[in-house]
């Protein structure tokens, strides 16, 4: 499959952003994901004001109190920036055991700031529908195969796709 046809949460966010008020992004994403936002202005790493959007992805061990608090301060600024979640998955299984995923950090930020996140990845129905449009198939004719009963299978079913659970990874 060609790279241009891959739909990731970051690609979905980058497609959504041009329709929003322009301004710099504060990225809380892994380095490998940053390139998806190359066409957008970025807020300097130390800035705690002035973001048009705060984009949160899976930083894994990159999260610490300082980084989370910076995201909080950006979201408390006025006018309020958009809180963009590249997913709302609760946790995942790493080699050393279960680890918190993006959803836990987004929920903490939403709770503390009152922001409503725009979810551009799983389990948002819009993500599954965008994938169906990209593939040029009706959602009902597609099957989501995943190892997360809520974030993959149940979310796909709620979006009108069939869901199939595989017992690899966390599968719960």
């Amino acid at each position: 499959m060609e790279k241009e046809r891959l739909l990731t949460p970051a690609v979905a966010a980058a497609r959504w952003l041009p329709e929003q008020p322009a301004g710099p992004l504060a990225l809380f994403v892994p380095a490998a994901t940053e390139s998806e936002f190359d066409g957008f202005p970025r807020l300097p790493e130390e800035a705690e004001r002035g973001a048009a959007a705060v984009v949160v992805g899976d930083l894994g061990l990159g999260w610490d109190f300082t980084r989370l608090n910076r995201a909080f301060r950006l979201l408390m600024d006025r006018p309020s920036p958009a809180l963009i979640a590249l997913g709302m998955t609760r946790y995942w299984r790493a080699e050393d055991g279960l680890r918190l995923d993006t959803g836990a950090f987004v929920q903490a930020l939403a709770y503390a700031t009152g922001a409503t996140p725009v979810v551009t990845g799983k389990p948002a129905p819009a993500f599954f529908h965008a994938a169906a449009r990209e593939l040029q198939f009706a959602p009902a004719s597609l099957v989501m195969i995943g190892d997360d009963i809520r974030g993959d299978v149940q979310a796909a079913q709620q979006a009108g796709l069939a869901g199939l659970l595989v017992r690899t990874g966390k599968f719960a």
Side-chain angles (χ1 to χ4, degrees):
M1 178 179 270
E2 306 88 43
K3 177 184 172 191
E4 298 77 33
R5 294 209 43 186
L6 291 176
L7 180 66
T8 66
V11 168
R15 290 179 183 171
W16 178 84
L17 281 165
E19 302 169 13
Q20 306 311 308
L25 304 179
L27 298 179
F28 295 85
V29 300
T33 304
E34 287 182 7
S35 65
E36 299 294 351
F37 301 97
D38 280 349
F40 299 94
R42 304 236 182 110
L43 202 63
E45 274 294 313
E46 66 284 348
E48 293 185 349
R49 300 179 54 102
V54 173
V55 182
V56 180
D58 178 23
L59 280 176
L61 297 175
W63 282 114
D64 60 22
F65 180 79
T66 301
R67 184 167 278 155
L68 189 60
N69 205 54
R70 177 176 175 254
F72 164 73
R73 288 177 178 170
L74 286 163
L75 290 164
M76 292 298 286
D77 193 20
R78 297 294 175 252
S80 300
L83 171 56
I84 302 173
L86 299 186
M88 289 299 287
T89 306
R90 300 173 306 144
Y91 60 90
W92 62 285
R93 183 177 304 281
E95 288 182 15
D96 65 344
L98 298 179
R99 289 191 187 172
L100 290 174
D101 205 347
T102 307
F105 297 97
V106 172
Q107 287 286 43
L109 291 167
Y111 175 77
T113 65
T116 300
V118 174
V119 182
T120 63
K122 298 182 297 183
F127 182 67
F128 292 98
H129 294 159
R133 281 192 306 279
E134 186 77 24
L135 294 168
Q136 299 179 344
F137 282 95
S141 66
L142 297 174
V143 176
M144 166 64 182
I145 301 171
D147 66 354
D148 184 321
I149 192 73
R150 291 183 182 173
D152 295 335
V153 176
Q154 185 180 44
Q157 291 171 341
Q158 290 173 343
L161 288 74
L164 180 64
L165 181 67
V166 293
R167 293 181 61 91
T168 61
K170 67 179 177 192
F171 64 82

